[in-house]
Amino acid sequence: MILSAIDVNNLKQAPAVSGVLPIFHQRWSPRSFASREVNPADLRRVFEAARWAASSYNEQPWRFLAGVRNSITYNKIFQSLVGFNREWAGSAPVLILGAASTKFVHNGTANAYALYDLGAAASYLTLQAAALGLATHQMAGFDHDAARQAFEIPEDYALGSVIALGYQGEPAALGHEQMIAMEVAPRDRKPLSETVLSAWGEPAHLG
Ligand SMILES: Cc1cc2nc3c(=O)[nH]c(=O)nc-3n(C[C@H](O)[C@H](O)[C@H](O)COP(=O)(O)O)c2cc1C
């Protein structure tokens, strides 16, 4: 039996840790999206959250191309996706492509932190979306050259991810077995002992 959207959403919640904001544990990346549209006010809210991310020199190098279903923007982003992502991402009502200016406006020098800052803004976006009951799924699997060409994105902008946004759908709607298995698999993370260190290779002692 395939789990329902509600069951799988429960399964995907990371275990609560006292004092950590619940939204960090609640966000996860489905591939099945419901047909329900995202209202424009909520769409604005997710970008408003992204807007307030910190960035090197407060450059705010991020630019988001945002398309709702059936728009030219949406179709261009969708067309750039690799085959695997095309199999599911078309169910999302909104597709977003992130890009970042790799040159500082104030002096024209290289901004090595452009993609880092775009990632931070994208993170805020995904968490605000989760707080609004929306789901997001980021994708590196798209043809950068095709997307750049389709939108005439200048060379000094680096491309980040495509983000599918909408409401979580039923796992069964994904149609094929392997995709459903991924949708209902529990989430997994490395232990902090592997990622938080006091010296290289040595876990930090955390409370
Ligand atoms: C930068 C980035 C690129 C990703 N690319 C893809 C992708 O092309 N296709 C896909 O199905 N998932 C993609 N993912 C989703 C990750 O596999 C997913 O976030 C990860 O397994 C953790 O799962 P969670 O987001 O549900 O916690 C990507 C995620 C990120 C952040």
Side-chain angles (χ1 to χ4, degrees):
M1 199 192 70
I2 299 172
L3 293 176
S4 71
I6 291 169
D7 289 341
V8 82
N9 191 36
N10 289 334
L11 173 85
K12 294 279 185 177
Q13 307 297 299
V17 173
S18 166
V20 175
L21 295 179
I23 206 65
F24 292 107
H25 294 125
Q26 285 162 9
R27 183 215 58 82
W28 65 282
S29 307
R31 291 189 177 82
S32 178
F33 286 86
S35 57
R36 181 177 167 194
E37 285 176 15
V38 177
N39 79 55
D42 279 346
L43 193 55
R44 172 174 274 274
R45 287 183 181 107
V46 302
F47 289 116
E48 179 64 21
R51 183 175 169 228
W52 288 99
S55 61
S56 177
Y57 286 94
N58 197 21
E59 175 77 11
Q60 303 156 63
W62 49 78
R63 300 291 180 271
F64 294 105
L65 286 152
V68 295
R69 205 195 311 279
N70 295 323
S71 68
I72 292 170
T73 308
Y74 183 103
N75 292 340
K76 282 182 180 173
I77 298 173
F78 182 77
Q79 288 305 324
S80 77
L81 296 177
V82 298
F84 171 78
N85 288 331
R86 271 196 220 188
E87 281 184 43
W88 58 267
S91 66
V94 180
L95 290 177
I96 300 162
L97 169 62
S101 170
T102 57
K103 276 200 192 132
F104 283 115
V105 169
H106 68 275
N107 62 6
T109 61
N111 179 0
Y113 283 82
L115 276 177
Y116 182 94
D117 293 343
L118 171 63
S123 232
Y124 279 26
L125 183 158
T126 63
L127 291 163
Q128 177 64 42
L132 292 166
L134 287 158
T136 52
H137 196 130
Q138 299 185 67
M139 288 165 267
F142 67 100
D143 182 332
H144 284 218
D145 292 338
R148 189 180 287 285
Q149 225 179 342
F151 288 108
E152 299 182 49
I153 299 171
E155 282 303 320
D156 53 0
Y157 279 75
L159 301 189
S161 68
V162 169
I163 307 173
L165 173 81
Y167 292 92
Q168 187 206 342
E170 290 298 329
L174 287 166
H176 91 63
E177 219 174 288
Q178 191 198 350
M179 201 92 79
I180 293 171
M182 289 192 289
E183 192 79 341
V184 302
R187 290 167 70 220
D188 190 28
R189 286 300 189 268
K190 292 173 179 165
L192 290 181
S193 59
E194 202 177 323
T195 58
V196 188
L197 312 174
S198 57
W200 202 250
E202 262 180 51
H205 295 288
L206 301 170

